[in-house]
Amino acid sequence: VQLVESGGDLVQTGGSLTLSCATSGLSFEDYCIGWFRQAPGKEREGVSCGCNIDGSTYSVDSVKGRFIISSDNARDTSLLHMYNLKPEDTATYICAASEATFCRWRPDEYDFWGRGTQVTVSS
């Protein structure tokens, strides 16, 4: 199983980015994909999750209305669309896969992880 993130970049406050999480080696439709982020010196936190089995999606309050998660089922890829980015969004963004029927938010509830992609938002 592999998860490979891409799309991270340096952007200005208020900018937008779309991150991709390309998966292989798993039945994409049977998994929930979670997006986490980790800034230096801080704990890893979940920001958005999407479950392919029923199409449900969730985002935490700090990014709700600015981050949207979607799935490209034809390419077994999860997408995280990020709008109105703020300096506090600066972090390494990491996707993970959980064979679950509902979103989970604890990192230890995920089975497979990518290596991450860096997002830096300048003020």
Side-chain angles (χ1 to χ4, degrees), residues 12-112:
Q12 293 186 333
T13 296
S16 302
L17 282 175
T18 293
L19 305 183
S20 298
C21 173
T23 73
S24 60
L26 54 76
S27 297
F28 186 70
E29 62 273 15
D30 294 334
Y31 279 77
C32 295
I33 303 296
W35 282 92
F36 292 77
R37 66 185 179 187
Q38 188 161 21
K42 295 189 175 181
E43 289 189 357
R44 185 169 295 189
E45 65 166 340
V47 293
S48 295
C49 174
C51 288
N52 296 316
I53 196 166
D54 64 357
S56 59
T57 61
Y58 300 93
S59 292
V60 297
D61 287 344
S62 61
V63 305
K64 197 169 291 183
R66 299 189 299 119
F67 289 13
I68 300 171
I69 187 171
S70 67
S71 290
D72 181 344
N73 292 334
R75 296 191 300 155
D76 292 349
T77 296
S78 174
L79 302 169
L80 185 65
H81 309 273
M82 306 188 295
Y83 304 99
N84 190 22
L85 284 161
K86 304 176 181 181
E88 52 264 41
D89 295 319
T90 295
T92 299
Y93 283 73
I94 311 154
C95 65
S98 172
E99 193 172 16
T101 57
F102 58 92
C103 278
R104 301 169 184 267
W105 297 102
R106 284 178 18 211
D108 63 1
E109 294 176 309
Y110 281 78
D111 305 303
F112 306 106

